[in-house]
Amino acid sequence: MDGISIKEYSPEYLDEIIELILSIQQAEFKIPITKEDQPDLSDIPNFYQSGTGNFWIALCNNQVIGTISLVDIGNHQGALRKMFVKAPYRGGGYQTASVLLQQLFVWSREHSIREIYLGTTEKFLAAHRFYEKNSFVQIPKEELPDAFPIMKVDTRFYQIKL
């Protein structure tokens, strides 16, 4: 993890966050989604940093290389959203995704979150392996809490009990 730090969202990183997420969605995975399709990105404090939710960024040399967030969906439950890591910082060498996820788990336990849910697309195969390796269990859409915010690209769903 040399050189990687995790910080809570602050506005000076907004443009880099949007660029990171859109480049992964559009260029890397060819998902036809725009910034306008994701109004949460323009209002991170109100969308993510309310209730027991939060939004974190991973930095290397003060550059945004990863993101993760937790949406408070009530009933001691959260939704993991916006987990993205720049390609060179994925995997063994940096463990960026693992460090971000551990930050989310620590926060969740400190704030009495008992279950975390997430939705993803079938295209994110490495993400599926990552979530399963980290004790998430795939569940049918019908088992999601009513308050879970399903995105139109979500086709695969996971849950972890803390």
Side-chain angles (χ1 to χ4, degrees):
M1 192 182 98
D2 192 36
I4 305 268
S5 61
I6 307 298
K7 289 181 64 171
E8 289 185 22
Y9 167 80
S10 59
E12 70 263 27
Y13 296 106
L14 181 60
D15 291 341
E16 283 187 75
I17 290 166
I18 292 170
E19 170 60 29
L20 170 74
I21 291 171
L22 288 177
S23 68
I24 292 170
Q25 291 171 328
Q26 295 171 349
E28 190 174 345
F29 290 98
K30 310 292 187 241
I31 296 172
I33 191 168
T34 66
K35 177 184 171 191
E36 292 70 32
D37 294 328
Q38 304 172 83
D40 55 310
L41 290 177
S42 297
D43 196 12
I44 289 172
N46 288 319
F47 195 87
Y48 293 105
Q49 294 178 303
S50 62
T52 57
N54 210 340
F55 192 106
W56 297 270
I57 55 174
L59 298 168
C60 184
N61 299 320
N62 211 36
Q63 300 286 315
V64 174
I65 61 161
T67 63
I68 194 170
S69 67
L70 181 72
V71 176
D72 179 357
I73 60 172
N75 200 31
H76 301 283
Q77 298 171 324
L80 186 159
R81 298 276 299 273
K82 300 300 183 199
M83 182 156 199
F84 293 96
V85 175
K86 197 176 275 193
Y89 297 93
R90 295 178 192 152
Y94 288 97
Q95 299 291 321
T96 307
S98 294
V99 174
L100 283 165
L101 186 61
Q102 289 310 307
Q103 175 64 50
L104 183 138
F105 286 164
V106 167
W107 173 273
S108 296
R109 288 184 182 105
E110 288 173 352
H111 292 83
S112 302
I113 299 292
R114 295 189 193 116
E115 298 170 317
I116 299 171
Y117 296 86
L118 68 91
T120 188
T121 173
E122 293 297 330
K123 293 183 179 189
F124 292 169
L125 300 178
H128 304 164
R129 290 189 298 274
F130 173 77
Y131 294 129
E132 291 164 7
K133 184 178 88 179
N134 284 281
S135 302
F136 281 85
V137 176
Q138 188 176 356
I139 61 169
K141 184 178 179 180
E142 298 74 35
E143 290 184 20
L144 292 169
D146 291 338
F148 181 82
I150 297 174
M151 301 295 290
K152 67 181 180 180
V153 296
D154 290 344
T155 55
R156 189 172 180 127
F157 303 95
Y158 288 91
Q159 173 198 45
I160 189 169
K161 294 183 181 188
L162 301 178

